[in-house]
């Protein structure tokens, strides 16, 4: 079987979970290979997502590793049997960087999303003009056609919030930050108000005067998998996306969300606050 040159995130996650399962059982790669009757290099390839496995082999590995977490095994079996060649984002492969595709892939398989943003409105809630303004400020500057392509991709991601539950905490700084003037910002705030009325979307504001939020400069999205063990966190950084899926990491971000939620305004209070800032923005160009 030919090795995959570019495993998808789901294939990588399957491999990572197989490695975690083996390590928790205290087995080395060579030990597992002997038990399976395969070359140790094959174990490495499975755990790196370079080669696929069957459901039967998955369950054999789980038995050898004494894993009795049936929901986890069943969820991994679903990944194994998923023959989908990719979602809508695949048409952008080779045109945008892997970071863009990974974000869309994570969201595309989400059961629910929660997010915290500090300096900008979350991409799943951005208007065309707002997204264009953000990409136009890239350093070094992007050609116009590159900006248009990235905006189209970002807007394409937004279909996920038509069905999946989405809870977002937005810092007051992001509501006031103007990337292309007061008019674009006011229109963006109006779009936020519209989105906040959707039954599956919760938007809550964190005010400047809240001093209990940890890591206030950290923007992240918590993505729920079919079971909690398969949750994933995507965080922004100056060098690209950071992906966290280790249980200790996801537990930490769940704790962060709980702390942020305890300090944020209610949904109703947040709508009124956003409406007041929108009015201030509108007064600047009226």
């Amino acid at each position: 079987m030919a090795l995959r040159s570019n495993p998808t995130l789901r294939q990588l996650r399957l491999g990572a979970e197989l490695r975690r399962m083996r390590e928790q059982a205290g087995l080395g790669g060579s030990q597992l290979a002997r038990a399976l009757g395969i070359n140790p290099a094959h174990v490495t390839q499975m755990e790196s997502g370079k080669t696929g496995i069957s459901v039967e082999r998955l369950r054999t590995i789980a038995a050898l590793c004494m894993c009795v977490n049936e929901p986890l095994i069943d969820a991994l079996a679903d990944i194994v049997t998923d023959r989908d060649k990719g979602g809508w984002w695949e048409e952008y492969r080779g045109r945008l960087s892997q970071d863009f595709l990974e974000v869309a892939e994570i969201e595309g398989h989400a059961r629910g999303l929660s997010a915290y943003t500090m300096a900008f409105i979350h991409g799943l809630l951005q208007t065309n003009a707002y997204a264009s303004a953000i990409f136009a400020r890239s350093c070094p500057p992007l050609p116009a056609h590159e900006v248009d392509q990235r905006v189209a991709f970002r807007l394409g991601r937004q279909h996920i919030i038509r069905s999946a539950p989405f809870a977002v905490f937005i810092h007051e700084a992001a509501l006031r930050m103007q990337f292309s003037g007061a008019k674009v910002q006011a229109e963006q705030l109006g779009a936020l108000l519209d989105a906040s009325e959707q039954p599956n979307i919760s938007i809550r504001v964190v005010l400047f005067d809240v001093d209990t939020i940890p890591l206030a400069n950290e923007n992240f999205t918590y993505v729920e998998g079919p079971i909690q063990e398969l949750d994933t966190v995507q965080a922004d950084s100056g060098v690209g996306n950071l992906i966290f899926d280790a249980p200790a990491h996801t537990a930490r971000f769940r704790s962060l969300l709980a702390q942020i939620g305890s300090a944020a305004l209610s949904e109703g209070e947040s709508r009124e606050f956003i409406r007041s800032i929108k009015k201030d923005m509108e007064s600047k160009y009226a």
Side-chain angles (χ1 to χ4, degrees):
M1 179 182 295
L3 298 183
R4 300 166 177 146
S5 57
N6 292 299
T8 67
L9 271 180
R10 275 163 68 78
Q11 291 163 348
L12 291 171
R13 183 62 182 274
L14 172 63
E17 292 301 327
L18 291 174
R19 182 178 64 254
R20 259 194 281 273
M21 193 181 294
R22 173 179 60 76
E23 291 174 346
Q24 287 174 354
L27 293 175
S30 296
Q31 290 175 289
L32 180 60
R34 283 196 298 272
L36 292 171
I38 61 177
N39 190 294
H42 195 175
V43 172
T44 300
Q45 291 160 2
M46 288 189 299
E47 293 181 353
S48 62
K50 295 288 187 179
T51 187
I53 65 172
S54 65
V55 173
E56 291 74 16
R57 173 153 286 176
L58 166 66
R59 295 192 181 280
T60 298
I61 291 173
L64 291 171
C65 294
M66 295 176 287
C67 177
V68 294
N69 187 339
E70 287 300 328
L72 173 62
I73 297 169
D74 289 342
L76 295 177
D78 287 341
I79 296 178
V80 170
T81 57
D82 182 4
R83 303 303 180 187
D84 184 10
K85 299 302 181 182
W88 63 270
W89 53 88
E90 287 298 328
E91 66 181 270
Y92 286 87
R93 189 169 296 280
R95 297 159 56 193
L96 291 175
S97 70
Q98 188 68 16
D99 280 353
F100 284 86
L101 305 183
E102 287 180 348
V103 170
E105 183 183 347
I106 291 172
E107 293 170 347
H109 295 285
R111 297 292 178 90
L113 303 104
S114 301
Y116 172 63
T117 60
M118 176 70 182
F120 50 81
I121 306 304
H122 196 282
L124 293 178
L125 297 171
Q126 290 178 8
T127 63
N128 189 317
Y130 185 92
S132 295
I134 288 179
F135 286 123
R137 286 175 172 263
S138 297
C139 184
L142 292 168
H145 75 278
E146 289 282 350
V147 171
D148 291 343
Q149 183 167 252
R150 294 182 183 207
V151 171
F153 186 84
R154 178 157 292 181
L155 297 181
R157 286 168 44 205
Q158 296 182 0
H159 76 278
I160 188 68
I161 59 173
R162 296 172 189 164
S163 55
F166 183 38
V168 59
F169 299 97
I170 305 176
H171 197 278
E172 182 179 347
L175 300 177
R176 297 188 183 279
M177 190 82 71
Q178 297 178 46
F179 290 97
S180 189
K183 185 174 183 179
V184 168
Q185 189 68 13
E187 291 172 348
Q188 175 63 74
L189 297 179
L192 275 186
L193 290 170
D194 291 341
S196 72
E197 299 292 345
Q198 299 301 312
N200 63 310
I201 298 177
S202 170
I203 297 176
R204 297 175 61 193
V205 174
V206 178
L207 298 178
F208 275 129
D209 60 7
V210 171
D211 60 4
T212 58
I213 299 298
L215 295 174
N217 63 339
E218 187 166 307
N219 306 311
F220 65 89
T221 301
Y222 190 101
V223 184
E224 296 176 27
I227 58 173
Q228 190 175 88
E229 290 92 332
L230 294 182
D231 289 354
T232 305
V233 175
Q234 178 266 320
D236 297 322
S237 78
V239 294
N241 294 320
L242 300 176
I243 305 296
F244 301 97
D245 57 31
H249 289 146
T250 54
R252 169 179 172 271
F253 280 99
R254 285 197 301 274
S255 176
L256 283 175
L257 282 171
Q259 293 178 64
I260 293 167
S262 67
L265 298 177
S266 68
E267 291 183 29
E269 291 170 333
S270 296
R271 273 191 287 271
E272 289 305 311
F273 190 76
I274 293 170
R275 193 171 287 114
S276 69
I277 298 179
K278 178 176 179 287
K279 186 175 180 180
D280 289 343
M281 294 289 173
E282 290 169 338
S283 70
K284 295 179 180 181
Y285 64 86

